[in-house]
mmCIF file of all heavy atoms in Angstrom:
data_model
loop_
_atom_site.group_PDB
_atom_site.id
_atom_site.type_symbol
_atom_site.label_atom_id
_atom_site.label_comp_id
_atom_site.label_asym_id
_atom_site.label_seq_id
_atom_site.Cartn_x
_atom_site.Cartn_y
_atom_site.Cartn_z
ATOM 1 N N ARG A 240 22.649 -7.237 46.881
ATOM 2 C CA ARG A 240 22.921 -6.283 45.790
ATOM 3 C C ARG A 240 24.404 -6.085 45.498
ATOM 4 O O ARG A 240 24.759 -5.264 44.667
ATOM 5 C CB ARG A 240 22.241 -4.937 46.043
ATOM 6 C CG ARG A 240 20.736 -4.998 46.128
ATOM 7 C CD ARG A 240 20.072 -3.668 46.391
ATOM 8 N NE ARG A 240 20.654 -2.867 47.450
ATOM 9 C CZ ARG A 240 20.423 -3.014 48.745
ATOM 10 N NH1 ARG A 240 19.627 -3.950 49.173
ATOM 11 N NH2 ARG A 240 20.993 -2.232 49.619
ATOM 12 N N HIS A 241 25.312 -6.802 46.202
ATOM 13 C CA HIS A 241 26.734 -6.584 45.992
ATOM 14 C C HIS A 241 27.544 -7.852 45.754
ATOM 15 O O HIS A 241 28.701 -7.768 45.375
ATOM 16 C CB HIS A 241 27.335 -5.805 47.170
ATOM 17 C CG HIS A 241 26.735 -4.455 47.328
ATOM 18 N ND1 HIS A 241 26.986 -3.416 46.454
ATOM 19 C CD2 HIS A 241 25.864 -3.972 48.242
ATOM 20 C CE1 HIS A 241 26.300 -2.360 46.832
ATOM 21 N NE2 HIS A 241 25.603 -2.670 47.905
ATOM 22 N N GLY A 242 26.990 -9.011 46.021
ATOM 23 C CA GLY A 242 27.711 -10.256 45.809
ATOM 24 C C GLY A 242 28.268 -10.834 47.098
ATOM 25 O O GLY A 242 27.920 -10.401 48.191
ATOM 26 N N CYS A 243 29.138 -11.823 46.960
ATOM 27 C CA CYS A 243 29.677 -12.483 48.149
ATOM 28 C C CYS A 243 30.967 -11.796 48.609
ATOM 29 O O CYS A 243 31.637 -11.107 47.843
ATOM 30 C CB CYS A 243 29.884 -13.973 47.908
ATOM 31 S SG CYS A 243 31.265 -14.399 46.867
ATOM 32 N N ALA A 244 31.285 -12.023 49.871
ATOM 33 C CA ALA A 244 32.431 -11.355 50.504
ATOM 34 C C ALA A 244 33.716 -11.618 49.726
ATOM 35 O O ALA A 244 34.496 -10.686 49.491
ATOM 36 C CB ALA A 244 32.570 -11.815 51.951
ATOM 37 N N ARG A 245 33.951 -12.851 49.329
ATOM 38 C CA ARG A 245 35.187 -13.185 48.622
ATOM 39 C C ARG A 245 35.327 -12.358 47.334
ATOM 40 O O ARG A 245 36.406 -11.855 47.032
ATOM 41 C CB ARG A 245 35.241 -14.671 48.297
ATOM 42 C CG ARG A 245 36.500 -15.045 47.533
ATOM 43 C CD ARG A 245 36.598 -16.512 47.130
ATOM 44 N NE ARG A 245 35.361 -17.011 46.576
ATOM 45 C CZ ARG A 245 34.697 -18.062 47.060
ATOM 46 N NH1 ARG A 245 35.143 -18.717 48.112
ATOM 47 N NH2 ARG A 245 33.582 -18.453 46.504
ATOM 48 N N ASP A 246 34.257 -12.194 46.582
ATOM 49 C CA ASP A 246 34.316 -11.418 45.340
ATOM 50 C C ASP A 246 34.564 -9.932 45.607
ATOM 51 O O ASP A 246 35.183 -9.249 44.792
ATOM 52 C CB ASP A 246 33.034 -11.606 44.526
ATOM 53 C CG ASP A 246 32.868 -13.026 44.027
ATOM 54 O OD1 ASP A 246 33.886 -13.787 43.978
ATOM 55 O OD2 ASP A 246 31.739 -13.405 43.695
ATOM 56 N N LEU A 247 34.095 -9.448 46.753
ATOM 57 C CA LEU A 247 34.299 -8.034 47.075
ATOM 58 C C LEU A 247 35.750 -7.724 47.422
ATOM 59 O O LEU A 247 36.161 -6.574 47.365
ATOM 60 C CB LEU A 247 33.382 -7.627 48.222
ATOM 61 C CG LEU A 247 31.892 -7.590 47.873
ATOM 62 C CD1 LEU A 247 31.068 -7.304 49.112
ATOM 63 C CD2 LEU A 247 31.622 -6.573 46.792
ATOM 64 N N LEU A 248 36.526 -8.750 47.768
ATOM 65 C CA LEU A 248 37.953 -8.525 48.048
ATOM 66 C C LEU A 248 38.654 -7.870 46.867
ATOM 67 O O LEU A 248 39.611 -7.116 47.048
ATOM 68 C CB LEU A 248 38.654 -9.852 48.368
ATOM 69 C CG LEU A 248 38.495 -10.390 49.765
ATOM 70 C CD1 LEU A 248 39.115 -11.772 49.865
ATOM 71 C CD2 LEU A 248 39.106 -9.446 50.781
ATOM 72 N N GLN A 249 38.190 -8.160 45.665
ATOM 73 C CA GLN A 249 38.805 -7.592 44.456
ATOM 74 C C GLN A 249 38.465 -6.115 44.276
ATOM 75 O O GLN A 249 39.117 -5.418 43.516
ATOM 76 C CB GLN A 249 38.343 -8.367 43.206
ATOM 77 C CG GLN A 249 38.429 -9.870 43.311
ATOM 78 C CD GLN A 249 39.793 -10.362 43.744
ATOM 79 O OE1 GLN A 249 40.811 -9.913 43.253
ATOM 80 N NE2 GLN A 249 39.799 -11.285 44.698
ATOM 81 N N LYS A 250 37.441 -5.647 44.983
ATOM 82 C CA LYS A 250 36.953 -4.279 44.801
ATOM 83 C C LYS A 250 37.382 -3.316 45.905
ATOM 84 O O LYS A 250 37.094 -2.134 45.829
ATOM 85 C CB LYS A 250 35.423 -4.291 44.696
ATOM 86 C CG LYS A 250 34.923 -5.094 43.507
ATOM 87 C CD LYS A 250 33.425 -5.135 43.470
ATOM 88 C CE LYS A 250 32.970 -5.964 42.280
ATOM 89 N NZ LYS A 250 31.528 -6.059 42.205
ATOM 90 N N VAL A 251 38.039 -3.845 46.941
ATOM 91 C CA VAL A 251 38.503 -2.980 48.035
ATOM 92 C C VAL A 251 40.028 -3.016 48.070
ATOM 93 O O VAL A 251 40.653 -3.903 47.497
ATOM 94 C CB VAL A 251 37.937 -3.417 49.411
ATOM 95 C CG1 VAL A 251 36.419 -3.297 49.429
ATOM 96 C CG2 VAL A 251 38.389 -4.813 49.791
ATOM 97 N N ASP A 252 40.608 -2.067 48.754
ATOM 98 C CA ASP A 252 42.068 -2.023 48.905
ATOM 99 C C ASP A 252 42.466 -2.869 50.112
ATOM 100 O O ASP A 252 42.666 -2.355 51.207
ATOM 101 C CB ASP A 252 42.517 -0.570 49.073
ATOM 102 C CG ASP A 252 44.017 -0.436 49.241
ATOM 103 O OD1 ASP A 252 44.746 -1.440 49.054
ATOM 104 O OD2 ASP A 252 44.455 0.682 49.583
ATOM 105 N N ALA A 253 42.558 -4.189 49.891
ATOM 106 C CA ALA A 253 42.865 -5.112 50.980
ATOM 107 C C ALA A 253 44.225 -4.824 51.603
ATOM 108 O O ALA A 253 44.449 -5.136 52.771
ATOM 109 C CB ALA A 253 42.798 -6.557 50.480
ATOM 110 N N ALA A 254 45.124 -4.203 50.857
ATOM 111 C CA ALA A 254 46.443 -3.868 51.388
ATOM 112 C C ALA A 254 46.368 -2.733 52.417
ATOM 113 O O ALA A 254 47.334 -2.478 53.137
ATOM 114 C CB ALA A 254 47.393 -3.477 50.254
ATOM 115 N N SER A 255 45.207 -2.084 52.530
ATOM 116 C CA SER A 255 45.060 -0.976 53.483
ATOM 117 C C SER A 255 44.802 -1.468 54.901
ATOM 118 O O SER A 255 44.753 -0.665 55.832
ATOM 119 C CB SER A 255 43.942 -0.041 53.041
ATOM 120 O OG SER A 255 42.685 -0.686 53.164
ATOM 121 N N VAL A 256 44.620 -2.772 55.076
ATOM 122 C CA VAL A 256 44.449 -3.334 56.411
ATOM 123 C C VAL A 256 45.566 -4.341 56.666
ATOM 124 O O VAL A 256 46.031 -5.012 55.759
ATOM 125 C CB VAL A 256 43.061 -4.006 56.600
ATOM 126 C CG1 VAL A 256 41.953 -2.984 56.472
ATOM 127 C CG2 VAL A 256 42.855 -5.146 55.644
ATOM 128 N N THR A 257 45.994 -4.420 57.905
ATOM 129 C CA THR A 257 47.083 -5.313 58.297
ATOM 130 C C THR A 257 46.570 -6.311 59.307
ATOM 131 O O THR A 257 46.045 -5.916 60.362
ATOM 132 C CB THR A 257 48.243 -4.501 58.925
ATOM 133 O OG1 THR A 257 48.661 -3.507 58.003
ATOM 134 C CG2 THR A 257 49.408 -5.415 59.273
ATOM 135 N N ARG A 258 46.716 -7.583 59.012
ATOM 136 C CA ARG A 258 46.293 -8.635 59.936
ATOM 137 C C ARG A 258 47.288 -8.707 61.092
ATOM 138 O O ARG A 258 48.491 -8.785 60.895
ATOM 139 C CB ARG A 258 46.237 -9.969 59.198
ATOM 140 C CG ARG A 258 45.723 -11.094 60.035
ATOM 141 C CD ARG A 258 45.618 -12.337 59.203
ATOM 142 N NE ARG A 258 45.266 -13.452 60.044
ATOM 143 C CZ ARG A 258 45.142 -14.678 59.606
ATOM 144 N NH1 ARG A 258 45.360 -14.965 58.340
ATOM 145 N NH2 ARG A 258 44.826 -15.627 60.435
ATOM 146 N N LEU A 259 46.773 -8.688 62.330
ATOM 147 C CA LEU A 259 47.627 -8.679 63.511
ATOM 148 C C LEU A 259 47.772 -10.032 64.173
ATOM 149 O O LEU A 259 48.812 -10.371 64.676
ATOM 150 C CB LEU A 259 47.096 -7.679 64.536
ATOM 151 C CG LEU A 259 47.015 -6.235 64.075
ATOM 152 C CD1 LEU A 259 46.517 -5.369 65.216
ATOM 153 C CD2 LEU A 259 48.360 -5.752 63.578
ATOM 154 N N HIS A 260 46.691 -10.779 64.240
ATOM 155 C CA HIS A 260 46.680 -12.036 64.989
ATOM 156 C C HIS A 260 45.867 -13.067 64.224
ATOM 157 O O HIS A 260 45.142 -12.728 63.312
ATOM 158 C CB HIS A 260 45.980 -11.868 66.345
ATOM 159 C CG HIS A 260 46.608 -10.888 67.255
ATOM 160 N ND1 HIS A 260 47.819 -11.120 67.877
ATOM 161 C CD2 HIS A 260 46.218 -9.663 67.680
ATOM 162 C CE1 HIS A 260 48.120 -10.091 68.644
ATOM 163 N NE2 HIS A 260 47.176 -9.192 68.523
ATOM 164 N N THR A 261 45.963 -14.286 64.700
ATOM 165 C CA THR A 261 44.978 -15.241 64.251
ATOM 166 C C THR A 261 43.665 -14.842 64.898
ATOM 167 O O THR A 261 43.596 -13.804 65.549
ATOM 168 C CB THR A 261 45.404 -16.681 64.628
ATOM 169 O OG1 THR A 261 45.610 -16.722 66.026
ATOM 170 C CG2 THR A 261 46.635 -17.096 63.879
ATOM 171 N N ARG A 262 42.662 -15.620 64.785
ATOM 172 C CA ARG A 262 41.329 -15.236 65.268
ATOM 173 C C ARG A 262 41.330 -14.822 66.731
ATOM 174 O O ARG A 262 42.077 -15.354 67.523
ATOM 175 C CB ARG A 262 40.366 -16.368 65.032
ATOM 176 C CG ARG A 262 40.222 -16.593 63.545
ATOM 177 C CD ARG A 262 39.158 -17.524 63.205
ATOM 178 N NE ARG A 262 39.145 -17.589 61.724
ATOM 179 C CZ ARG A 262 38.692 -18.576 61.045
ATOM 180 N NH1 ARG A 262 38.170 -19.607 61.648
ATOM 181 N NH2 ARG A 262 38.738 -18.545 59.741
ATOM 182 N N ILE A 263 40.469 -13.888 67.058
ATOM 183 C CA ILE A 263 40.363 -13.429 68.433
ATOM 184 C C ILE A 263 39.761 -14.555 69.256
ATOM 185 O O ILE A 263 38.802 -15.167 68.845
ATOM 186 C CB ILE A 263 39.486 -12.194 68.616
ATOM 187 C CG1 ILE A 263 38.844 -11.673 67.369
ATOM 188 C CG2 ILE A 263 40.142 -11.110 69.370
ATOM 189 C CD1 ILE A 263 37.932 -10.527 67.590
ATOM 190 N N GLU A 264 40.328 -14.763 70.389
ATOM 191 C CA GLU A 264 39.820 -15.803 71.290
ATOM 192 C C GLU A 264 38.782 -15.198 72.203
ATOM 193 O O GLU A 264 38.876 -14.051 72.587
ATOM 194 C CB GLU A 264 40.956 -16.368 72.135
ATOM 195 C CG GLU A 264 42.037 -17.028 71.330
ATOM 196 C CD GLU A 264 43.223 -17.389 72.208
ATOM 197 O OE1 GLU A 264 43.033 -17.579 73.410
ATOM 198 O OE2 GLU A 264 44.325 -17.464 71.657
#
């Protein structure tokens, strides 16, 4: 009912999260 994850990036405030690392091991 909401679409794919990539399209939802446009609807959330992605700048409100900060990436810290590459993928968790």
Side-chain angles (χ1 to χ4, degrees):
R240 298 179 314 278
H241 298 288
C243 73
R245 179 182 45 237
D246 294 341
L247 291 174
L248 280 173
Q249 312 308 315
K250 298 178 181 179
V251 297
D252 180 9
S255 69
V256 297
T257 304
R258 184 176 174 182
L259 300 182
H260 299 289
T261 56
R262 295 189 179 156
I263 1 176
E264 298 172 26

